[in-house]
Amino acid sequence: VPELPEVETVKRTLNTLLKDKVITDVTIRYAPMIAEDINHFKAMLKGHTIHEIKRTGKYLLFDLGEHYLLSHLRMEGKYFIKPTNAPFDKHEHVIFYLEDGETLRYHDVRKFGTMTLRDKATYKSVPPLSLLAKEPIDPTVDGTYIKHKLNNTQRYIKTALLDQHILSGLGNIYVDETLHCASIHPMRRGDMLKKNDYEIIAQCARKVLEKAIELGGSSIRSYTDSLGVSGRFQNELNVHLQKDQSCKTCGTIIEKIKVNGRGTYYCPTCQNR
Ligand SMILES: [Zn+2]
């Protein structure tokens, strides 16, 4: 599953390839992926320039002038750039034809990805972006913010940090790494931590995500970003997927448990309950 650092990597890659290119036509081969009327959707894209690609949470925002095209990759979404005459892959569901003879192709084996248009004047104040919490790399996210968000949760800290209404863009890999960095057991109650723990979580989440973004995200399981660019953060993992390895901090063997159904890796010594 692409998480925030991987989506950031996709964004950067697409920007180098698509900035200022004009969309001449759009073919939709799987209509349920588009959240609105297809003819309207096509009309809003045809003839428009991709000025820039931005990111909010795990949404890619294609700046088309007066509108953003919001694209969410969900489980398996990927973008590819291919010549117009390259044969279609059966998993390519949306094809954007570009003025220069290339095509941008949205590829999604599971078909969970979504695309929708939003007016630039209002996109932040309407769903889905209005529902997103702040990102850990947002400079205003600190211990006070996290403590406030966790005040009324009785859930485990691991589960709470995965909740996109609390922090946006922190997925399974990065929550495990954040809690190891913060020396907090994943099954501590989210509302019962010490005041200083919230500050450490804020600092660790930022540190982990910034490092992951710097390294282009992680290439784990089937995920590589568009155009075959692979992240290198998987080489920096301290606990995630490290079961039976020695903790790099203290040498204890890393354990794997389930926390509300999610595979969770932690060091029983560094993250003592
Ligand atoms: Zn340890």
Side-chain angles (χ1 to χ4, degrees), residues 3 158 171-177 180 218 220-221 233-234 236-243 245 254-256 262-266:
E3 297 190 16
K158 162 84 191 224
N172 207 32
I173 303 168
Y174 302 105
V175 171
D176 282 357
E177 293 299 315
H180 181 262
S218 309
I220 291 180
R221 294 191 208 135
F233 187 71
Q234 68 274 17
E236 304 286 322
L237 296 171
N238 286 307
V239 282
H240 192 78
L241 299 182
Q242 305 302 303
K243 185 174 182 282
Q245 303 293 313
I254 303 297
E255 291 185 7
K256 182 184 183 186
R262 299 301 300 270
T264 297
Y265 300 82
Y266 77 107

Side-chain angles (χ1 to χ4, degrees), residues 28-237:
I28 294 158
R29 306 172 77 224
Y30 180 69
M33 198 153 273
I34 311 299
E36 55 213 271
D37 177 76
I38 282 182
N39 291 324
H40 175 254
F41 181 85
K42 283 186 181 177
M44 299 303 279
L45 275 96
K46 265 174 100 164
H48 285 82
T49 302
I50 301 170
H51 296 289
E52 191 183 355
I53 297 128
K54 301 184 186 182
R55 180 190 60 74
T56 303
K58 292 180 8 179
Y59 287 89
L60 292 165
L61 281 66
F62 292 74
D63 180 346
L64 302 172
E66 291 180 7
H67 293 85
Y68 284 119
L69 165 63
L70 271 56
S71 165
H72 198 299
L73 307 174
R74 303 288 171 196
M75 306 293 284
E76 302 263 355
K78 295 182 175 78
Y79 279 101
F80 293 98
I81 292 173
K82 294 183 179 179
T84 299
N85 59 6
F88 291 130
D89 180 291
K90 68 171 176 175
H91 300 299
E92 290 171 355
H93 304 302
V94 185
I95 320 288
F96 304 84
Y97 293 86
L98 305 171
E99 209 174 35
D100 63 1
E102 302 263 53
T103 50
L104 171 68
R105 303 186 182 198
Y106 180 71
H107 179 286
D108 194 338
V109 173
R110 306 278 293 270
K111 296 186 180 172
F112 289 145
T114 59
M115 286 186 198
T116 188
L117 291 164
R118 286 291 178 273
D119 200 310
K120 248 188 189 175
T122 54
Y123 76 104
K124 279 186 186 166
S125 55
V126 295
L129 298 188
S130 63
L131 305 174
L132 294 179
K134 290 183 183 181
E135 297 176 6
I137 50 176
D138 182 327
T140 67
V141 168
D142 58 10
T144 308
Y145 174 84
I146 292 177
K147 185 174 189 318
H148 174 73
K149 286 290 212 177
L150 292 174
N151 256 346
N152 296 314
T153 187
Q154 296 182 5
R155 294 176 294 175
Y156 298 130
I157 185 66
K158 162 84 191 224
T159 308
L161 290 178
L162 284 172
D163 181 345
Q164 300 299 299
H165 300 286
I166 289 176
L167 281 174
S168 177
L170 210 54
N172 207 32
I173 303 168
Y174 302 105
V175 171
D176 282 357
E177 293 299 315
T178 294
L179 290 176
H180 181 262
C181 163
S183 301
I184 293 171
H185 192 286
M187 292 175 83
R188 296 269 305 278
R189 246 178 72 169
D191 58 344
M192 303 272 275
L193 302 178
K194 293 193 201 100
K195 191 162 178 282
N196 192 43
D197 287 336
Y198 297 104
E199 193 55 53
I200 293 169
I201 287 173
Q203 289 167 14
C204 282
R206 179 174 300 127
K207 193 170 105 180
V208 165
L209 279 187
E210 282 177 350
K211 183 81 178 169
I213 288 169
E214 181 193 321
L215 295 175
S218 309
S219 303
I220 291 180
R221 294 191 208 135
S222 64
Y223 184 73
T224 51
D225 90 16
S226 59
L227 311 147
V229 178
S230 301
R232 289 174 288 120
F233 187 71
Q234 68 274 17
N235 304 323
E236 304 286 322
L237 296 171

Side-chain angles (χ1 to χ4, degrees), residues 180 183 238-239 246-254 266-271:
H180 181 262
S183 301
N238 286 307
V239 282
S246 301
C247 172
K248 290 173 195 165
T249 307
C250 74
T252 304
I253 300 299
I254 303 297
Y266 77 107
C267 169
T269 301
C270 294
Q271 296 167 265

